[in-house]
Amino acid sequence: MEDVTARAVLHYVLDGGCRITAAGTAPLDPAGGELVLLPAAARHRISPLPAAADPPAPDGRAAPPDAPAPSGLPGSDAQPTAPTGPAVRVLALDGPGPPVRLLSLRTGYDRRAVRPLVAALPRAVLLDRRRVEGAPLLRDTLRLLAAPGRRAGPGDRLLALRVFEAALALAADPPRPPDAGYPHPGIGRSVAAIETRYAEPWTVDTLAREAGMSRSSFTAAFREAVGTSPARHLTARRIREAARLLAETGLPQSAVPARVGYRSRVGFHLAFRTAYGTTPGEYRAASPRRDRRPLRRI
């Protein structure tokens, strides 16, 4: 069976500031309270911010790309996409200047549901403090994971996935007009709505209103930007969440359709089988996780 799992890495700055450089992109310099999303877990390096007196490199960057990586952190020779290792950890960056601490997260996700969205993003995306603070679910989950004295637990994988999905939704809807990568600013809003509010009773008409566009203009612009129709994208998002609930939680199977926005169980079963080639019950039975616990809202 084809492996459809992709991986993402996120770094949330707790104290100080640092430089994060992914191959083929300009360096990002996140400060405290800012979040860097690497949606495809691109190879990257974390280093101290360059001193003001350091001469710039020939390309104008303050730190050359072949600078040594700090001890214990991902560098140019590291492989942050490796499937092993903790989902959540706190990193301390050694070096001159103020102390730097980061909350580092890695997670896996089904690439089929978000391929167009990830493909439209840079290899590394910086979400500033204002945007993180303005997203309560993202902000509160990061604070929970960074709480002093907190120990790693069995729910870390799920929490890391929640952070990724919330960050991806923010990255898909940049605050500056026009939306980067989208033919109309409203397309970003509709994509973010599907990503985070998939359980609502959306139709093409209500998504078009969310985008502030006519139905015909919205449908054409959405297909051009995302590569599929609004209805298909919504279905993919709902089924992806259903698969996660079946594999990772103890939510009764009968409750899954309503949780992801389906009013008809028959419609849900047909959509799920079309996407995964199996029934929801068979999918749950084949899931490698055997320690499923009842779903709790965080």
Side-chain angles (χ1 to χ4, degrees):
M1 188 175 185
E2 179 189 2
D3 182 8
V4 296
T5 301
R7 300 202 170 270
V9 173
L10 303 97
H11 297 295
Y12 178 59
V13 181
L14 301 173
D15 301 304
C18 62
R19 170 157 291 185
I20 297 178
T21 307
T25 67
L28 299 176
D29 295 339
E34 296 187 325
L35 178 67
V36 172
L37 164 66
L38 296 105
R43 289 178 179 269
H44 60 286
R45 144 187 343 271
I46 306 175
S47 58
L49 287 172
D54 287 351
D59 62 359
R61 300 177 182 179
D66 58 350
S71 176
L73 295 180
S76 61
D77 296 327
Q79 178 51 279
T81 61
T84 59
V88 180
R89 59 179 177 159
V90 175
L91 306 175
L93 182 61
D94 297 326
V100 179
R101 290 192 314 129
L102 304 95
L103 180 71
S104 180
L105 304 95
R106 69 176 71 200
T107 186
Y109 61 93
D110 189 330
R111 73 178 78 227
R112 293 173 296 184
V114 295
R115 182 182 286 119
L117 194 59
V118 170
L121 294 175
R123 292 186 177 185
V125 181
L126 174 64
L127 299 175
D128 62 32
R129 183 176 188 133
R130 180 185 62 82
R131 301 199 71 202
V132 173
E133 289 293 318
L137 176 61
L138 176 61
R139 177 198 64 206
D140 293 346
T141 306
L142 288 169
R143 288 179 180 176
L144 171 67
L145 292 172
R150 180 186 179 276
R151 295 184 178 182
D156 283 4
R157 289 177 55 205
L158 176 58
L159 290 171
L161 179 60
R162 297 294 92 188
V163 170
F164 165 69
E165 291 181 339
L168 186 65
L170 279 185
D173 189 20
R176 61 190 183 282
D179 277 1
Y182 293 117
H184 189 284
I187 299 302
R189 292 195 297 273
S190 65
V191 170
I194 289 173
E195 284 297 312
T196 60
R197 296 154 53 197
Y198 48 81
E200 295 184 18
W202 293 110
T203 64
V204 175
D205 288 331
T206 57
L207 284 169
R209 285 198 292 272
E210 180 79 10
M213 304 170 68
S214 70
R215 178 189 171 106
S216 58
S217 296
F218 168 71
T219 301
F222 192 99
R223 184 181 291 277
E224 177 184 351
V226 181
T228 188
S229 69
R232 286 183 179 274
H233 191 69
L234 174 61
T235 296
R237 177 64 182 97
R238 286 172 167 172
I239 296 303
R240 176 164 60 93
E241 176 63 11
R244 186 193 68 79
L245 291 171
L246 290 166
E248 299 184 7
T249 77
L251 184 70
Q253 184 177 321
S254 60
V256 171
R259 181 63 65 90
V260 298
Y262 277 88
R263 296 183 180 181
S264 165
R265 291 185 184 180
V266 173
F268 167 73
H269 276 252
L270 289 173
F272 194 95
R273 191 178 188 97
T274 298
Y276 286 95
T278 187
T279 67
E282 292 168 343
Y283 184 91
R284 167 166 275 181
S287 171
R289 290 202 58 174
R290 301 299 181 191
D291 59 339
R292 302 184 195 96
R293 300 183 178 184
L295 185 67
R296 294 185 299 169
R297 290 194 177 277
I298 298 171

